[in-house]
Amino acid sequence: MTRPRAASERFVAQLPTRARSRVTVIHSPLLEIRPLEVQVATKGIRGLIFTSANSVNAAVSLGVDRKLPAYCVGPATTGTAKGAGWMAQMVGATAEELVANLLQLRPESPLLHLRGEHSRGNVAERLTELGLTTFEQPVYRQRLLPLTPQAEQAALGDAPVLAPIFSPRTARQFADVWEGSAPLWLAAISEATADPLRTLTFRRLKIAKEPTPKKMSKAVKKLVKHALRVEGAAGAD
């Protein structure tokens, strides 16, 4: 698992019991999430946009006003925002859907998109160009990490390794740090995430039908089944 530990544990817990029972889970986060030491000015802002649970957690640590409505991508981010005290609603499963749905909803603006230092989608720029004034501010840093010793050992073994990859940046890092002879089975949450992984030698690369945890879970379930049938041995996730 290449996501930060908490997110990885949530994902593993959502996998079907049979799939979990057939793998050994190795946690090797490739990104470390740290809140930035910044001031978030919300005077005049009429609503917040969260596109990841990391931005919600950073906003909590920075004391961002929780009286503002929050417009979120995906159920996990929405649930995190609600749990932290925001009046949050999910307005799309992806950044593309969020932009389209906000343009239909036309909430009071300006809005403020709280995001990581490295972000895709140009949410604020696109909304503003289409008439819904939106500002943006990075509130957390994503520091790249190497594989853990346990993950490196698995990479050098002969049991199949199954790696779910959840972002293009994580995919680029995985492609950079992966060195090993183990049969590699990859699940990518999107086409953009899959692209950097194509430089690797792998047995199979499966792309989730939609960029959601539910569809990624299905992709991983199928890969576990196929990998065990092809390789004939239990692998590492």
Side-chain angles (χ1 to χ4, degrees):
M1 293 303 301
T2 58
R3 305 179 87 186
R5 184 64 180 253
S8 287
E9 288 178 345
R10 285 196 301 270
F11 181 77
V12 171
Q14 293 169 1
L15 289 173
T17 302
R18 180 166 173 77
R20 288 202 309 271
S21 70
R22 303 175 81 184
V23 300
T24 298
V25 178
I26 296 174
H27 291 281
S28 182
L30 296 182
L31 293 176
E32 179 184 49
I33 307 300
R34 291 285 183 88
L36 294 170
E37 295 182 3
V38 295
Q39 295 290 326
V40 179
T42 56
K43 184 177 180 180
I45 296 297
R46 308 308 296 269
L48 303 173
I49 296 175
F50 293 123
T51 47
S52 75
N54 292 325
S55 58
V56 176
N57 293 329
V60 170
S61 70
L62 295 169
V64 175
D65 186 358
R66 298 185 207 187
K67 295 185 179 67
L68 293 168
Y71 306 100
C72 305
V73 168
T77 302
T78 306
T80 302
K82 286 181 177 178
W86 273 282
M87 185 177 65
Q89 62 176 303
M90 177 176 157
V91 290
T94 66
E96 292 289 334
E97 290 182 4
L98 176 133
V99 169
N101 291 335
L102 281 177
L103 290 172
Q104 284 190 337
L105 288 171
R106 290 287 170 179
E108 290 187 86
S109 61
L111 304 176
L112 176 62
H113 180 203
L114 299 178
R115 60 172 181 80
E117 281 188 324
H118 299 274
S119 180
R120 294 173 57 87
N122 299 320
V123 169
E125 180 181 348
R126 291 163 62 199
L127 286 171
T128 299
E129 287 178 349
L130 294 169
L132 188 61
T133 302
T134 304
F135 303 108
E136 63 180 351
Q137 182 172 356
V139 290
Y140 66 92
R141 171 176 291 116
Q142 305 123 304
R143 186 169 71 90
L144 296 174
L145 299 174
L147 292 175
T148 64
Q150 187 182 12
E152 288 183 337
Q153 184 177 4
L156 296 173
D158 55 11
V161 172
L162 195 161
I165 310 293
F166 289 83
S167 73
R169 191 159 189 250
T170 302
R172 289 191 294 272
Q173 177 67 354
F174 186 84
D176 286 343
V177 301
W178 174 263
E179 294 182 2
S181 55
L184 185 59
W185 296 70
L186 297 166
I189 198 167
S190 65
E191 287 284 355
T193 300
D195 284 345
L197 302 174
R198 299 185 194 280
T199 62
L200 297 169
T201 300
F202 51 82
R203 295 294 177 91
R204 187 169 182 180
L205 170 59
K206 186 168 183 60
I207 302 170
K209 291 185 178 179
E210 296 175 3
T212 64
K214 183 177 180 179
K215 294 301 184 182
M216 274 293 280
S217 179
K218 288 187 176 181
V220 168
K221 175 186 173 182
K222 290 180 180 179
L223 282 185
V224 170
K225 180 180 178 180
H226 292 319
L228 295 182
R229 185 173 67 233
V230 172
E231 307 292 346
D237 180 356

